[in-house]
Amino acid sequence: SKMNKINIYKNSYDGSKDLAKILIKQINSIILKKGYCTIGLPTGNSPVKLYEELVNSYKNNLIQFKNVILFNLDEFYPIRKDSKECYRNYLYDHLLDHVDFTDKNLYFLDSEIKEEELANYCDSFEKKIIEVGGLDIQVLGIGINGHIGFNEPGSKIESKTRKVKISNESYKTISKDFKEINNIPREALTLGIETILSSYKIYLMAWGNNKSSIIKKAIKGKITSLCPASYLKTHNDVTYFLDEMSSSKL
Ligand code: GLP
């Protein structure tokens, strides 16, 4: 993992701005080369400022998204597509509604897919990624237990897109975002570890003090299923975007 880089910024604002700049450069150069770019995008608090920057950059004509193919990284299961907490809606609110993505280039994990269709559905999602030539770029956040996407501790390195159980730790974190406590899903759909690792470039964001312990484990610790983010060390092109707080234990 010689090419893996750690970028440390004063705060999440500076880090998000720089990540946006780097993504724009990457996306534009990939589109110039092959006509389109495939990207996997996360949700959560970490990428909020990144998406703001991307929207501003679009408005300033620094980037267009009409030739960008989007795969969403993870999604609650089951959850109604019209509910506020659905990750699909998050992506619309923070990014898609404000820029020029083409509808046919948007691939969401279907939070309403029938249980009996799930296995086939997850396989077909993997196939779609392969059909478009794989992911050029995968952007990630990290859970305080080391999850990436919804690959919770215990996830295998060879895991693919699938349904997973949400850990108790993640459940607690998520409950803060849900309006109705009864409606919090216990399961989720996620790109697998292998799916994420198959991306040519990976960018992981972590901001704030509450991420400092897991960032230390993920970057300095050994590769273990107990900290799924540690699997990124097997990849040769990961850049970690950290602020002073999240990097304070490195
Ligand atoms: C969530 C999602 C992840 C996300 C992570 C961190 O539960 N499953 O995709 O990256 O946890 O979230 P946040 O950025 O809000 O800290």
Side-chain angles (χ1 to χ4, degrees):
S1 63
K2 271 183 253 97
M3 290 186 60
N4 292 354
K5 284 204 308 197
I6 301 173
N7 293 357
I8 300 172
Y9 302 88
K10 194 157 186 54
N11 52 48
S12 63
Y13 182 73
D14 289 356
S16 304
K17 250 183 123 146
D18 199 43
L19 177 54
K21 229 169 82 184
I22 289 169
L23 286 178
I24 290 167
K25 218 174 127 188
Q26 282 295 330
I27 290 170
N28 286 338
S29 93
I30 292 168
I31 290 176
L32 212 61
K33 260 186 245 153
K34 64 172 190 183
Y36 66 95
C37 174
T38 56
I39 188 166
L41 290 178
T43 54
N45 297 312
S46 310
V48 169
K49 293 192 191 84
L50 167 69
Y51 295 148
E52 270 172 31
E53 275 301 310
L54 289 177
V55 170
N56 287 336
S57 305
Y58 166 75
K59 288 181 177 155
N60 292 323
N61 293 315
L62 298 170
I63 182 160
Q64 294 185 333
F65 293 91
K66 58 175 197 273
N67 295 317
V68 178
I69 302 179
L70 167 78
F71 289 90
N72 93 311
L73 170 66
D74 55 6
E75 180 61 276
F76 291 116
Y77 182 80
I79 194 170
R80 283 180 51 165
K81 282 177 193 159
D82 60 7
S83 70
K84 180 182 145 293
E85 292 86 1
C86 179
Y87 284 165
R88 175 195 185 103
N89 288 332
Y90 170 104
L91 284 171
Y92 273 98
D93 290 347
H94 291 271
L95 182 66
L96 305 178
D97 279 342
H98 315 286
V99 300
D100 64 339
F101 273 96
T102 312
D103 278 341
K104 68 165 177 50
N105 289 344
L106 302 175
Y107 294 100
F108 295 103
L109 289 160
D110 186 346
S111 63
E112 292 180 5
I113 191 86
K114 290 200 196 90
E115 192 84 47
E116 60 268 30
E117 288 168 23
L118 242 173
N120 277 336
Y121 174 75
C122 290
D123 286 352
S124 69
F125 205 78
E126 286 282 332
K127 286 205 187 93
K128 265 177 213 153
I129 296 176
I130 293 166
E131 271 167 31
V132 297
L135 292 167
D136 295 309
I137 299 167
Q138 175 65 57
V139 183
L140 297 171
I142 181 173
I144 49 170
N145 63 355
H147 72 218
I148 47 177
F150 257 127
N151 293 284
E152 297 278 27
S155 296
K156 297 199 170 76
I157 193 163
E158 67 271 16
S159 57
K160 300 257 174 86
T161 301
R162 69 200 186 288
K163 184 181 79 170
V164 292
K165 288 218 154 46
I166 295 175
S167 68
N168 289 334
E169 198 168 11
S170 300
Y171 189 81
K172 267 186 233 148
T173 313
I174 291 157
S175 351
K176 292 174 199 142
D177 297 330
F178 269 79
K179 274 195 296 201
E180 285 174 69
I181 202 90
N182 298 326
N183 284 339
I184 306 171
R186 275 294 185 174
E187 294 181 307
L189 305 177
T190 185
L191 295 196
I193 297 290
E194 189 176 297
T195 327
I196 291 169
L197 291 175
S198 73
S199 177
Y200 289 98
K201 287 184 174 290
I202 299 175
Y203 298 98
L204 182 143
M205 276 172 286
W207 320 121
N209 262 326
N210 67 334
K211 298 281 168 77
S212 61
S213 300
I214 199 63
I215 279 297
K216 183 182 177 194
K217 268 191 204 152
I219 295 178
K220 289 270 161 84
K222 56 173 193 269
I223 298 171
T224 165
S225 69
L226 298 176
C227 175
S230 68
Y231 288 133
L232 297 175
K233 295 207 285 188
T234 66
H235 193 275
N236 65 10
D237 196 347
V238 181
T239 312
Y240 302 89
F241 282 73
L242 310 176
D243 61 7
E244 281 175 3
M245 290 187 281
S246 66
S247 62
S248 60
K249 294 195 169 132
L250 288 179

